[in-house]
Amino acid sequence: MLKRIINAFITVLLIMSLNFVLFRMVPSDPALLMMNRDPQTTMAVYWRNVETMGLNDSLPEQYIGYMIDTFTLEWGTSYEYRMPVFEVTKAAIGWTILLVGTSTALVFIIGMALGKVAAMRRGKATDISITGFGIFFYGMPVFWFAIVLLIIFAGNTSWFPVAFRMTPGTEPFPITLDKIIDILHHMALPTAVMTIGGVAGVILIMRNSLVDVLTEDYILTGYAKGLSGKQVMRRHAGPNARLPIVTTLAMDVAFIFGGAFQVEIIFSYKGIGWYTIMAIWNSDYPMCQFIFLIGGVAVVVANLVADLVLVKLDPRVQIT
Amino acid sequence: MMVRFEVTLDKITRKAFSRNPVLADKLGLTAKSIGRTTDHFLDTWMGKAGLIIIFFFIFVAIYARLFIEYDRFEMGIYDHLLDMSWEHPFGTDNMGRDVLTRAAEGTEPSLIVGFAAMGISMILGTLVGLASGYVGGWKDEVIMRFNDMFLSIPWLVLMIVLAAVLESRSLGTIIIVIGITGWSGTARIVRAQVLSLKERQFVERARAIGAGDGHIIMKHIFPNVVPLVFANAILTIAICILSEATLSFLRLGPSNVETWGKILSDAYQQSAALNGPYAFIIMPGLCIVFVVLGFTFMGYAMDEVLNPKLRQR
């Protein structure tokens, strides 16, 4: 376990280094970008920016400076909002976690149920329609699917709001029941897009691993000792078929984030993804850098957690 | 019934090389096994459906220019933002260009991106996986940490940042960006396979009779990795095409060619999603959906063929 944690830490360090290198490759002058948003644009301001941003230091010095800043929670100042990036994005992080968390939970529940049905009726019409449905939505560009749902449910029927996290002009706190309903109403479409897009992967993995498991001898033994189909499924097949899903989910966290970005842009849902794309369009590099970092760390942590969960679920797994 | 490639390919090969019986025998066996794989592949409904879809789009990519009636750049002032009609089946865009023409023009770059970026990721992934799995030790550790880094970074963000960093975005640079962000999954799969192959007896036997590392990798390990990479490659094409569409949609795609993502981006910016014409936004998206569907079908069919345990029942 210790080795896993050390490896995860090394991975985080590497992500930070890549983060440093990548944004030094950007073909624009950070001091100038900072200055262009300043009302008093004089050369003095420019040189002050160069000095405060440490652009006169050598690259190794800048690198060490960046590492120290990151570990002391100094994550830089956004060009666009002229505030520390964490201040800008801290609310957005919560909103994204709400969106991603809800849809991931739904993906799990629906995906495993449908995968099970498909595996039990392998080769029949039910199986073909479930897998077909899964693959159809698996290959759908998230942003396009979001637009299609927008056309159907927000443009034509106005059952759901077109955009935003909640009715503009209201604050989430203090929480009241009306506000919760409002938030859920706004979240419905984005969550639906992410759930339907993500559920396909889980269905297919669950189906294939269950089909695999059902050929094992212990399933036959289960039937031989007089268990019903339901009992075999719950006690013998289910727990084994679920294992691959844990690992895949951890690997997929990066993809789930990718989906969240596109959904947030289409629905103007101001989460992390919305801020990222805006930051890129505005050349707001400190923001990009910060989001890049937290995204990477989130995936590393998710993988660590998946390892722990796997040990709990499968006693055969040994972590070295 | 259908043609059985297993028999036909075998016969054709043997006939073609009938002057050299030894060679004919050897090649005949290879052709036979390729034929058998093809047969199994075409036996699955996914394989058939996928192949038909992909052939259709390849046909469009090659011959589109013969059939399309409008010039891609032909604009019209009075017929902009039209909805579907017989004259313009996909409607027209904000500058009065025919969307079907644009979509047909966009087929070729989209397919090229899919295949080329897949090629880059597969080559990189296989090389890294082979090296890392075979060499082992601390070098393996170092490579795997880098691999972990690539797996952990939000893939879309890395691609977006790389595309934003590039000063000129052409088809080639976008292919490279997509290619180098997608190899890490393959590397991990290949490495796992190599680790198990390395311990097998045939490798040990080869080493005992004095084979070098290069020979063992090329003749004994690589051929056993190929089927795995192949099934993975088909699915990767689908992901590469999706990546390109996403990048283009975010206005970070290739600037020198027409692509489906770009049409969608234009449509979105004209807020076609809210005011119509809906065809402008639905149809190019459906093209992407079907191409991706085709490759995904083929990928899963291939998986079923190469995984005998699934095929038994």
Side-chain angles (χ1 to χ4, degrees):
Chain A
M1 200 57 223
L2 188 68
K3 192 172 169 242
R4 281 290 161 100
I5 294 173
I6 293 173
N7 279 349
F9 184 69
I10 295 174
T11 311
V12 171
L13 285 184
L14 280 173
I15 292 173
M16 284 165 60
S17 312
L18 180 74
N19 208 352
F20 175 83
V21 174
L22 212 56
F23 288 94
R24 291 298 173 286
M25 275 159 49
V26 172
S28 53
D29 184 349
L32 204 64
L33 283 172
M34 188 95 174
M35 188 179 84
N36 288 344
R37 291 180 169 83
D38 203 315
Q40 296 150 325
T41 44
T42 59
M43 277 326 265
V45 175
Y46 176 80
W47 289 114
R48 193 197 67 203
N49 282 343
V50 168
E51 195 51 48
T52 52
M53 293 166 112
L55 295 175
N56 280 335
D57 301 342
S58 65
L59 273 181
E61 271 170 10
Q62 287 188 29
Y63 178 67
I64 291 165
Y66 170 71
M67 288 298 203
I68 291 170
D69 280 353
T70 308
F71 280 115
T72 52
L73 314 185
E74 297 274 332
W75 290 317
T77 311
S78 158
Y79 298 156
E80 185 71 21
Y81 303 91
R82 327 212 105 252
M83 283 202 293
V85 283
F86 183 67
E87 292 293 313
V88 179
T89 49
K90 74 180 176 207
I93 296 176
W95 285 102
T96 300
I97 289 176
L98 179 69
L99 181 65
V100 170
T102 320
S103 50
T104 311
L106 285 175
V107 161
F108 252 80
I109 298 165
I110 300 173
M112 299 217 298
L114 287 180
K116 204 156 114 184
V117 173
M120 278 156 66
R121 296 186 177 59
R122 185 171 190 278
K124 306 236 176 70
T126 328
D127 175 29
I128 292 181
S129 48
I130 290 179
T131 28
F133 158 87
I135 292 177
F136 185 69
F137 285 101
Y138 177 76
M140 196 163 277
V142 180
F143 63 90
W144 182 75
F145 187 41
I147 292 175
V148 171
L149 283 195
L150 201 67
I151 291 177
I152 299 172
F153 292 110
N156 278 358
T157 57
S158 22
W159 288 346
F160 292 101
V162 178
F164 307 125
R165 308 181 292 208
M166 51 194 303
T167 310
T170 48
E171 288 293 319
F173 296 106
I175 294 178
T176 61
L177 191 64
D178 288 355
K179 282 179 184 170
I180 293 178
I181 292 172
D182 187 41
I183 290 173
L184 288 179
H185 193 207
H186 280 79
M187 241 176 69
L189 282 186
T191 315
V193 173
M194 290 190 60
T195 308
I196 297 175
V199 85
V202 178
I203 291 179
L204 294 168
I205 295 161
M206 183 71 189
R207 175 188 173 273
N208 287 350
S209 86
L210 201 54
V211 164
D212 247 14
V213 167
L214 286 177
T215 57
E216 299 282 350
D217 288 340
Y218 57 77
I219 300 294
L220 199 63
T221 316
Y223 282 116
K225 69 185 186 189
L227 296 180
S228 69
K230 228 178 212 165
Q231 281 170 317
V232 170
M233 187 55 75
R234 204 181 63 231
R235 304 240 303 260
H236 299 286
N240 280 305
R242 242 170 264 147
L243 298 174
I245 293 190
V246 179
T247 359
T248 349
L249 185 87
M251 303 283 282
D252 273 359
V253 173
F255 276 86
I256 295 172
F257 269 109
F261 282 29
Q262 301 171 37
V263 169
E264 286 178 7
I265 272 292
I266 302 291
F267 290 103
S268 307
Y269 185 97
K270 292 191 185 176
I272 285 294
W274 188 85
Y275 277 102
T276 317
I277 309 288
M278 287 302 150
I280 289 193
W281 284 345
N282 295 330
S283 314
D284 190 350
Y285 294 117
M287 283 280 279
C288 299
Q289 214 169 9
F290 172 64
I291 293 166
F292 204 85
L293 179 71
I294 55 172
V297 172
V299 178
V300 173
V301 171
N303 275 307
L304 263 185
V305 172
D307 282 344
L308 287 178
V309 171
L310 209 57
V311 172
K312 270 261 177 282
L313 289 181
D314 186 357
R316 289 170 301 183
V317 172
Q318 297 260 309
I319 286 198
T320 45
Chain B
M1 228 338 245
M2 296 188 53
V3 195
R4 303 312 293 185
F5 285 99
E6 185 175 354
V7 186
T8 12
L9 276 182
D10 187 27
K11 266 189 199 154
I12 292 171
T13 323
R14 274 171 206 278
K15 199 166 263 174
F17 290 92
S18 54
R19 263 190 255 158
N20 184 342
V22 180
L23 194 65
D25 220 38
K26 210 173 155 188
L27 289 175
L29 275 179
T30 316
K32 201 171 170 180
S33 77
I34 292 175
R36 198 183 310 130
T37 312
T38 321
D39 283 340
H40 284 310
F41 180 79
L42 289 175
D43 278 345
T44 57
W45 64 274
M46 284 188 191
K48 265 179 266 181
L51 212 62
I52 291 170
I53 297 174
I54 298 309
F55 271 142
F56 170 74
F57 277 101
I58 289 177
F59 178 80
V60 170
I62 297 173
Y63 294 111
R65 283 188 197 124
L66 292 182
F67 295 104
I68 48 186
E69 228 176 297
Y70 302 92
D71 187 351
R72 176 156 79 91
F73 300 106
E74 188 187 290
M75 302 182 195
I77 303 167
Y78 300 109
D79 48 3
H80 67 110
L81 291 176
L82 291 180
D83 216 332
M84 288 186 200
S85 63
W86 282 114
E87 203 178 340
H88 301 284
F90 285 16
T92 55
D93 71 357
N94 51 314
M95 293 199 243
R97 292 172 294 187
D98 180 48
V99 176
L100 177 61
T101 309
R102 290 187 70 187
E105 289 269 346
T107 310
E108 193 189 340
S110 299
L111 289 180
I112 289 178
V113 168
F115 280 101
M118 176 275 283
I120 295 177
S121 339
M122 285 303 126
I123 292 171
L124 267 178
T126 312
L127 284 180
V128 171
L130 277 176
S132 157
Y134 190 79
V135 174
W138 66 270
K139 290 172 194 149
D140 178 34
E141 283 288 320
V142 172
I143 296 175
M144 286 327 283
R145 288 294 79 70
F146 272 98
N147 199 11
D148 278 355
M149 176 187 79
F150 269 97
L151 275 175
S152 308
I153 288 167
W155 129 101
L156 185 65
V157 188
L158 178 62
M159 232 161 46
I160 290 174
V161 171
L162 277 178
V165 164
L166 291 173
E167 268 177 287
S168 68
R169 286 191 290 270
S170 65
L171 192 63
T173 47
I174 292 299
I175 287 172
I176 294 172
V177 165
I178 297 175
I180 60 174
T181 42
W183 57 271
S184 41
T186 316
R188 184 171 268 211
I189 298 171
V190 170
R191 173 177 173 270
Q193 180 80 353
V194 172
L195 282 182
S196 95
L197 286 171
K198 191 164 81 162
E199 305 300 325
R200 300 277 184 80
Q201 283 200 329
F202 62 85
V203 173
E204 209 155 309
R205 221 158 49 207
R207 189 167 292 130
I209 57 172
D213 285 341
H215 178 87
I216 292 177
I217 291 180
M218 282 317 294
K219 292 280 170 185
H220 298 288
I221 291 186
F222 181 65
N224 283 302
V225 175
V226 169
L228 200 69
V229 174
F230 194 67
N232 201 17
I234 301 176
L235 287 174
T236 308
I237 298 179
I239 294 174
C240 291
I241 289 176
L242 274 182
S243 306
E244 185 276 328
T246 312
L247 277 182
S248 293
F249 181 72
L250 295 172
R251 286 183 267 150
L252 294 164
S255 50
N256 57 346
V257 287
E258 187 78 289
T259 68
W260 292 329
K262 209 189 226 172
I263 305 174
L264 285 177
S265 171
D266 285 354
Y268 185 64
Q269 260 142 65
Q270 293 300 317
S271 41
L274 297 177
N275 312 326
Y278 299 133
F280 188 10
I281 211 156
I282 301 275
M283 289 316 199
L286 276 183
C287 294
I288 301 175
V289 171
F290 275 105
V291 165
V292 172
L293 196 65
F295 283 119
T296 319
F297 274 160
M298 282 170 66
Y300 278 106
M302 213 58 209
D303 211 28
E304 198 130 326
V305 172
L306 297 173
N307 191 348
K309 213 174 163 189
L310 286 176
R311 209 196 318 145
Q312 274 163 14
R313 285 143 295 128

